[in-house]
Amino acid sequence: NAGVTQTPKFQVLKTGQSMTLQCAQDMNHNSMYWYRQDPGMGLRLIYYSASEGTTDKGEVPNGYNVSRLNKREFSLRLESAAPSQTSVYFCASSSDRGYSYEQYFGPGTRLTVT
Amino acid sequence: AQSVAQPEDQVNVAEGNPLTVKCTYSVSGNPYLFWYVQYPNRGLQFLLKYITGDNLVKGSYGFEAEFNKSQTSFHLKKPSALVSDSALYFCAVRDSTDSWGKLQFGAGTQVVVTP
């Protein structure tokens, strides 16, 4: 039982390049989330998916797209990377059944855009 | 709109002393409250939650938190801190009126426990 996994762990991009961050969970959770973490700002929600086939914007969606490929996988795509997207990106999932509202996080992807 | 405040950027405590990390919140409906811990270069780990019931909730690693509705607070506590408790702690809130699982996180409090 790996929980939430993310790839890659580290990435360096040049301005304008594109990339996709991968996330998978093996807990049979319905909901999945992408956050970015910047110093002193806590975690900010980029996109979320309440169930397979649905996605919605969070607090800071500009410059990103997502795909909920199936129940397990939720990917985040940067089409044209900008230095402002330098951050640590976390994927999370939650059950949302009963009172199981807590989210479980992956180890993160550290992205640098030069 | 929901919000969370962690008024201290850093808390310093000597090993063996009590540890308190403060959190206050604002929501429209009833709050669902959470504490997470983040060790360097790691993801966030769930510590404990308050959904309903007893105002004192116990979680992992000897941590507990007390829900105070009148003061809109959910402070994290540990009776005797360990050096290994040094980490970044996040409080988060979900509004019970939200139809989906959005969590609003605080900015985080760095805890430093000295030997």
Side-chain angles (χ1 to χ4, degrees):
Chain A
N1 191 340
V4 180
T5 57
Q6 292 182 236
T7 55
K9 287 186 168 55
F10 302 94
Q11 185 71 48
V12 178
L13 292 178
K14 295 185 186 301
T15 297
Q17 288 184 318
S18 63
M19 77 162 296
T20 299
L21 282 64
Q22 306 288 353
C23 173
Q25 52 92 9
D26 62 1
M27 296 174 282
N28 200 35
H29 286 169
N30 289 320
S31 301
M32 297 186 74
Y33 313 84
W34 276 105
Y35 293 90
R36 59 178 288 172
Q37 182 180 24
D38 302 291
M41 302 188 73
L43 275 76
R44 293 182 292 169
L45 182 67
I46 305 171
Y47 270 93
Y48 70 97
S49 170
S51 62
E52 184 179 352
T54 67
T55 61
D56 280 289
K57 296 177 180 179
E59 185 182 351
V60 288
N62 291 345
Y64 305 95
N65 284 300
V66 291
S67 295
R68 183 75 183 267
L69 304 170
N70 47 54
K71 192 170 186 178
R72 290 187 64 249
E73 298 172 288
F74 188 39
S75 62
L76 178 72
R77 183 161 178 83
L78 286 69
E79 291 291 350
S80 179
S84 61
Q85 294 179 305
T86 293
S87 187
V88 182
Y89 291 86
F90 290 101
C91 178
S93 70
S94 64
S95 170
D96 286 356
R97 290 181 181 165
Y99 287 127
S100 296
Y101 298 135
E102 61 272 22
Q103 295 180 13
Y104 293 89
F105 285 78
T109 295
R110 189 173 297 273
L111 175 67
T112 302
V113 183
T114 60
Chain B
Q2 57 209 42
S3 65
V4 176
Q6 293 181 242
E8 300 156 316
D9 291 336
Q10 183 166 313
V11 169
N12 298 301
V13 63
E15 188 173 31
N17 283 358
L19 169 63
T20 299
V21 186
K22 296 179 180 177
C23 172
T24 59
Y25 66 89
S26 173
V27 294
S28 301
N30 291 319
Y32 299 150
L33 294 154
F34 306 83
W35 275 103
Y36 288 84
V37 60
Q38 184 181 32
Y39 297 101
N41 301 314
R42 303 288 294 275
L44 277 70
Q45 295 179 31
F46 169 69
L47 278 179
L48 53 78
K49 66 181 177 184
Y50 171 83
I51 303 297
T52 187
D54 196 347
N55 289 344
L56 184 65
V57 293
K58 295 185 184 297
S60 306
Y61 312 123
F63 284 95
E64 58 187 29
E66 186 166 14
F67 171 62
N68 187 316
K69 187 172 183 177
S70 63
Q71 297 187 4
T72 62
S73 67
F74 189 57
H75 301 332
L76 181 70
K77 299 181 181 183
K78 187 172 184 181
S80 178
L82 300 172
V83 172
S84 57
D85 293 328
S86 298
L88 187 57
Y89 291 79
F90 289 98
C91 181
V93 67
R94 170 178 170 166
D95 193 324
S96 64
T97 61
D98 270 348
S99 59
W100 61 277
K102 177 183 176 182
L103 287 185
Q104 183 67 47
F105 285 85
T109 298
Q110 185 70 48
V111 170
V112 178
V113 183
T114 53

